[in-house]
Amino acid sequence: MAGTKIKICGLRRIQDIEYANMLMPDYIGFILAEGFMRSITAEDAEEFAGKLDSRIKRVGVFAGQPEETVAEYVNSGIIQYVQLHGGEDNAYICRLRQLTKKGCNIIKAIRVKDAEDIEEASLYKSDYLLLDAYSGVQAGGNGITFDWTLVKNIDKPFFLAGGISAGNARKAVEIAKPYAVDASSSMETDGFKDFNKMKQFVDAVRSL
């Protein structure tokens, strides 16, 4: 689908920022929830944000942190979008909007096992959804896909995540028709971002 946006998540080194600046994805993600393999500190996020090309939108990924903590990242300008990967409900989302000075763009991540999960996703008052594969390991970044044919009748733009790479990006976009595709672990070699894999992914999506 022409114009499909690109998000690369889990940047955690200066080299990753340099790669992003060369490839210019539409979005990048900083993991600001604790306890994940790609988690970074607030200090790292601030440094990386300062070195990232300003045309690339910065997404902070959170899971269960207090609304006040998340709002601080937005109000400080470190991030522009909030991606929620925990059990946050609509009350949380509304409270978060109230705490941010200029409002914020909110992405609610849904771990998809079946069609019912996608139907329930439409109830969230977020600006975007992120549909990821369910895994019993951790929320996101597991490199596994789900059945993209389950994606139907979604009334807001959504990011499609879960095992998407240069090799299957075309199929994913043709079946699910997402607003954006989101990749993390498939962009890595030995646990770190790989420029060649990132470039192949970006080139594949932009060729659609």
Side-chain angles (χ1 to χ4, degrees):
M1 181 186 297
T4 302
K5 305 296 185 184
I6 299 168
K7 176 170 173 278
I8 298 179
C9 202
L11 276 63
R12 56 185 172 127
R13 303 176 300 166
I14 289 295
Q15 295 99 305
D16 301 342
I17 301 301
E18 293 170 351
Y19 296 164
N21 287 341
M22 286 187 276
L23 297 172
M24 292 298 294
D26 302 283
Y27 302 83
I28 59 87
F30 296 143
I31 310 300
L32 298 168
E34 296 180 358
F36 292 84
M37 185 177 76
R38 303 174 186 87
S39 297
I40 62 174
T41 65
E43 292 75 20
D44 285 340
E46 184 174 12
E47 178 186 1
F48 295 166
K51 295 180 181 298
L52 185 74
D53 191 296
S54 62
R55 292 169 290 181
I56 303 172
K57 298 178 179 67
R58 303 180 300 278
V59 181
V61 180
F62 302 89
Q65 286 115 306
E67 299 95 316
E68 292 81 4
T69 300
V70 178
E72 286 179 7
Y73 282 96
V74 179
N75 292 334
S76 67
I78 294 175
I79 61 169
Q80 299 150 304
Y81 285 64
V82 171
Q83 181 175 317
L84 301 174
H85 259 279
E88 302 89 359
D89 57 13
N90 281 330
Y92 182 107
I93 291 172
C94 292
R95 173 67 174 158
L96 179 57
R97 290 193 197 283
Q98 293 171 354
L99 290 170
T100 52
K101 296 174 182 177
K102 298 180 181 179
C104 61
N105 296 284
I106 297 175
I107 306 166
K108 182 66 180 87
I110 307 297
R111 302 167 72 187
V112 178
K113 289 184 291 186
D114 51 40
E116 185 176 337
D117 293 325
I118 294 176
E119 290 175 8
E120 291 178 357
S122 65
L123 301 176
Y124 285 100
K125 296 180 180 179
S126 55
D127 301 287
Y128 303 84
L129 295 171
L130 183 143
L131 305 181
D132 200 354
Y134 175 84
S135 168
V137 181
Q138 67 175 11
N142 297 295
I144 60 175
T145 63
F146 67 92
D147 182 357
W148 298 321
T149 64
L150 295 173
V151 181
K152 298 174 183 177
N153 304 319
I154 295 181
D155 61 357
K156 67 178 65 180
F158 67 94
F159 293 69
L160 186 68
I164 301 175
S165 65
N168 63 9
R170 175 176 291 276
K171 182 178 180 181
V173 170
E174 288 177 348
I175 293 174
K177 298 177 173 57
Y179 163 77
V181 285
D182 186 338
S184 182
S185 60
S186 64
M187 302 293 97
E188 298 176 352
T189 298
D190 297 328
F192 294 97
K193 291 293 184 283
D194 182 314
F195 177 79
N196 290 327
K197 290 181 179 179
M198 290 170 66
K199 185 177 187 304
Q200 289 167 7
F201 175 67
V202 169
D203 288 348
V205 177
R206 289 190 173 146
S207 71
L208 299 177

